[in-house]
């Protein structure tokens, strides 16, 4: 039997905190207990926010925690061609369209829609435009004229094409959801898959990479639980296998908020500099001793 494949996939846009430690340690524990493999993927598609010193800090912090991962590490910024190929396949199926509104224009449209306009699972109002608002020929002309654009998934068409989808949840969603769960990608509206200056997006690259790397188990925080609906849809449209998902609780700060990379107090490097031994980190995130 081929061994299970786990991955920890941080973005080097800040220092790792206790929430990352829980994710990384859980992935490492599960890989060890199942004689599986542990991959590390650097999710650095956003070239303006990701920095080499944060990537180096990821390696240092994980090594300090006693985690061992396979080399070479996959760095997403070195694989834009793979995401372009996937996007081209979705385009060829007629599921992608360009939109041109600025942030300000979208905000204005949302004001006109009023308070009852639906929000996505993260609380952001869904895209108020749609494919029908402009002819494809005009969209092409505006792209060729060099205007900034976002490439969006035509969600209604994509869902109609893919049909009903489920995923296997071995952990739990924020409301205790577990087992075989129904994907609800429509709740996200016409998500962005790429932009003029960025040939991919989180959703697209994560799905392509999990498949290319043969990931069988995605272990990550509950903040990404509902994104799994979009991931399942993209997997179905691209003919990619679906891993098992295991979403874990989030580590909250004293005010009950999700930890942020900008809070220094819970950064692993700050805890290390303060003299905490790595085993203390396991205790702080509520994991038993190995
Ligand atoms: N890169 C994402 C993050 O740092 C995690 C992606 C994932 O685990 O699917 O939040």
């Amino acid at each position: 039997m081929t061994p299970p494949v786990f991955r920890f996939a941080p973005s080097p846009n800040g220092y790792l905190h206790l929430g990352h430690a829980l994710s990384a340690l859980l992935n490492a524990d599960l890989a060890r207990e199942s004689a599986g493999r542990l991959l590390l993927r650097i999710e650095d598609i956003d070239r303006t926010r990701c920095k080499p010193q944060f990537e180096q800090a990821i390696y240092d912090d994980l090594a300090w925690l006693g985690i061992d991962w396979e080399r070479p590490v996959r760095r997403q910024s070195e694989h834009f061609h793979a995401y372009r190929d996937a996007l081209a396949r979705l385009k060829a199926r007629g599921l992608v369209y360009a939109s041109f509104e600025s942030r300000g224009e979208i905000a204005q449209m949302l004001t006109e829609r009023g308070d009852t306009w639906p929000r996505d699972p993260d609380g952001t109002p869904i895209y108020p435009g749609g494919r029908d608002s402009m002819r494809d020929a005009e969209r092409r002309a505006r792209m060729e004229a060099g205007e900034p654009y976002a490439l969006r998934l035509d969600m209604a068409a994509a869902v109609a094409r893919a049909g009903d989808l489920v995923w296997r949840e071995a952990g739990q969603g924020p409301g205790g959801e577990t087992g075989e769960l129904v994907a609800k990608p429509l709740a996200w509206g016409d998500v962005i898959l790429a932009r003029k200056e960025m040939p991919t997006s989180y959703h697209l690259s994560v799905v392509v990479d999990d498949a290319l790397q043969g990931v069988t188990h995605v272990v990550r925080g509950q903040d990404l639980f509902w994104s799994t609906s979009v991931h399942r849809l993209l997997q179905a449209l691209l003919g990619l296998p679906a891993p098992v998902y295991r979403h874990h609780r989030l580590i909250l700060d004293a005010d009950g908020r999700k930890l942020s990379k900008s809070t220094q107090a819970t950064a692993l490097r700050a805890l290390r500099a303060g003299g905490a031994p790595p085993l203390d980190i396991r205790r702080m995130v509520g994991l038993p001793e190995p």
Side-chain angles (χ1 to χ4, degrees):
M1 223 177 76
T2 49
V5 181
F6 295 82
R7 78 343 182 239
F8 176 56
S11 297
N13 55 12
Y15 293 116
L16 298 186
H17 54 55
L18 286 172
H20 298 106
L22 174 58
S23 245
L25 288 165
L26 256 185
N27 270 290
D29 287 359
L30 290 164
R32 195 182 51 246
E33 286 160 15
S34 59
R37 299 167 53 201
L38 176 62
L39 311 180
L40 173 62
R41 186 165 73 225
I42 300 295
E43 301 217 323
D44 60 349
I45 56 173
D46 185 342
R47 305 306 291 142
T48 55
R49 294 179 59 221
C50 294
K51 303 269 181 277
Q53 71 266 30
F54 294 135
E55 182 177 327
Q56 187 54 50
I58 289 172
Y59 303 137
D60 297 345
D61 290 345
L62 293 180
W64 174 69
L65 283 175
I67 292 174
D68 198 13
W69 59 92
E70 284 184 18
R71 275 74 166 176
V73 164
R74 184 175 175 93
R75 217 186 257 122
Q76 290 189 321
S77 58
E78 292 168 356
H79 298 276
F80 282 127
H81 59 94
Y83 317 130
R84 276 199 191 92
D85 286 353
L87 187 62
R89 287 167 56 204
L90 296 171
K91 279 186 196 161
R93 299 190 67 184
L95 298 174
V96 178
Y97 70 95
S99 66
F100 300 91
E101 296 90 354
S102 64
R103 276 174 195 276
E105 284 165 338
I106 290 185
Q108 179 58 38
M109 288 161 79
L110 287 169
T111 308
E112 286 157 17
R113 299 295 189 279
D115 288 344
T116 55
W117 185 252
R119 289 171 181 263
D120 70 23
D122 283 347
T124 307
I126 65 170
Y127 175 58
R131 189 174 200 158
D132 297 342
S133 62
M134 196 187 290
R135 283 177 305 116
D136 281 351
E138 186 182 344
R139 293 187 197 276
R140 264 197 306 278
R142 289 179 68 168
M143 284 171 82
E144 277 160 23
E147 278 191 45
Y149 58 83
L151 293 177
R152 293 181 181 272
L153 184 66
D154 182 342
M155 187 57 87
V159 167
R161 200 74 64 86
D164 293 340
L165 296 167
V166 294
W167 87 80
R168 195 164 132 229
E169 176 62 48
Q172 262 192 8
E177 302 88 342
T178 190
E180 186 166 276
L181 300 179
V182 176
K184 298 175 186 164
L186 282 171
W188 289 95
D190 291 355
V191 291
I192 294 177
L193 295 179
R195 293 179 190 276
K196 182 183 179 193
E197 69 289 353
M198 184 172 334
T200 186
S201 58
Y202 161 63
H203 293 311
L204 186 63
S205 41
V206 86
V207 156
V208 167
D209 281 351
D210 283 339
L212 274 174
Q213 296 190 284
V215 171
T216 57
H217 292 71
V218 170
V219 179
R220 62 186 178 190
Q222 273 172 353
D223 50 335
L224 294 169
F225 178 78
W226 285 115
S227 295
T228 311
S229 289
V230 178
H231 301 170
R232 277 299 294 123
L233 176 63
L234 292 174
Q235 285 155 1
L237 296 169
L238 292 165
L240 305 175
V244 174
Y245 288 86
R246 185 184 185 116
H247 292 92
H248 61 74
R249 65 195 155 80
L250 299 175
I251 306 285
L252 304 177
D253 67 13
D255 300 322
R257 279 188 308 249
K258 198 183 119 185
L259 297 185
S260 137
K261 281 196 174 124
S262 52
T263 320
Q264 287 313 308
T266 47
L268 297 181
R269 57 174 22 225
L271 293 163
R272 170 160 47 131
L279 264 184
D280 267 22
I281 306 295
R282 287 190 75 94
R283 195 181 37 75
M284 290 171 85
V285 299
L287 286 178
E289 287 192 21

